[in-house]
Amino acid sequence: MKKILLIRHGKTQGNLERRYIGRTDEPLCEAGRAALEGRSYPACDILLSSPMVRCLETGEILYPGKKPEIVPDLRECDFGRFEGKTYTELCTDPDYQRFLDSNGTGEIPQGESAAQFRERCLRGFRQVLEILDKAQWQTAAVICHGGTIMSVLDAYDPEHLGFYQYQVENGGGYLGYYEEENHRFSRWEKLSGKREAT
């Protein structure tokens, strides 16, 4: 049985300010870097990443010296007109209110719909599995985004807890146990950030 780590990038300034940060290519903030340096995850044989700089910087901190393979479809949602804004800045926008009323499943003006975003994330994760099926590896780490992790687990967790049950803090993540012979996950565990035996 092989293992896949899904790890959310560290905090950016936009995360600290509770802004919608999707396509904006922000670096980690100092607090985000410091928090990551206090975490530790299992070693990996292969590192994969969203192309966003916050993910690449997270990978450098958690897995120094390991060159990531970039998977473009793992990037965060494009929040369109909501991008870079806070709830306070958006709360009088009727389009935003409709988005909230839809429980996040509605259209985002000039951005991706929830369905488009999830399908893209799953396409990216299928690419990850194809890469890993062909490789000699035991543990893979994938550095990506909160929304990406929620999309993947909503589809690949056999417990099917529901999309919003898979929210994870910056620097947090999940460990999945992958049965390569039948191409399925037997279970997922939330990561503690403490070194685990591999």
Side-chain angles (χ1 to χ4, degrees):
M1 183 163 316
K2 296 182 177 181
K3 299 175 184 177
I4 295 182
L5 298 141
L6 293 179
I7 301 171
R8 185 182 177 195
H9 63 81
K11 284 185 180 178
T12 68
Q13 188 61 36
N15 293 147
L16 289 177
E17 296 170 3
R18 302 182 66 81
R19 297 183 180 278
Y20 283 93
I21 302 298
R23 67 174 184 265
T24 305
D25 207 9
E26 284 192 335
L28 299 176
C29 63
E30 286 307 310
R33 287 182 169 277
L36 287 176
E37 287 164 1
R39 301 182 81 105
S40 182
Y41 289 131
C44 68
D45 303 306
I46 183 170
L47 179 65
L48 301 106
S49 180
S50 155
M52 308 305 281
V53 67
R54 55 194 183 269
C55 294
L56 298 174
E57 290 180 347
T58 296
E60 288 172 4
I61 293 169
L62 297 182
Y63 297 100
K66 193 167 284 286
K67 183 176 174 59
E69 184 154 352
I70 305 301
V71 183
D73 281 336
L74 294 180
R75 65 192 184 280
E76 184 58 282
C77 184
D78 181 344
F79 291 112
R81 275 205 302 106
F82 305 158
E83 183 75 26
K85 297 179 180 172
T86 65
Y87 170 82
T88 302
E89 291 168 338
L90 289 167
C91 64
T92 59
D93 182 333
D95 288 330
Y96 182 62
Q97 191 56 56
R98 278 190 288 275
F99 175 71
L100 292 183
D101 292 344
S102 75
N103 199 27
T105 63
E107 296 297 317
I108 297 175
Q110 301 166 25
E112 288 181 289
S113 70
Q116 290 170 330
F117 170 60
R118 292 183 199 188
E119 178 49 40
R120 174 170 58 73
C121 290
L122 294 181
R123 187 169 63 239
F125 193 66
R126 287 192 296 270
Q127 184 182 344
V128 168
L129 295 180
E130 287 168 9
I131 291 167
L132 301 179
D133 279 336
K134 296 173 185 174
Q136 295 298 316
W137 62 279
Q138 287 302 313
T139 303
V142 181
I143 312 295
C144 53
H145 308 268
T148 308
I149 291 172
M150 292 160 71
S151 296
V152 168
L153 289 181
D154 190 43
Y156 283 93
D157 182 7
E159 293 190 26
H160 299 294
L161 301 177
F163 182 79
Y164 290 106
Q165 298 305 308
Y166 300 111
Q167 292 185 63
V168 64
E169 73 280 3
N170 292 97
Y174 286 87
L175 171 64
Y177 293 84
Y178 182 59
E179 299 174 353
E180 54 188 318
E181 63 279 359
N182 54 22
H183 306 287
R184 65 179 290 274
F185 287 87
S186 59
R187 70 185 193 278
W188 290 87
E189 299 171 355
K190 202 159 191 180
L191 291 166
S192 68
K194 296 180 181 178
R195 180 69 62 183
E196 301 172 26
T198 57

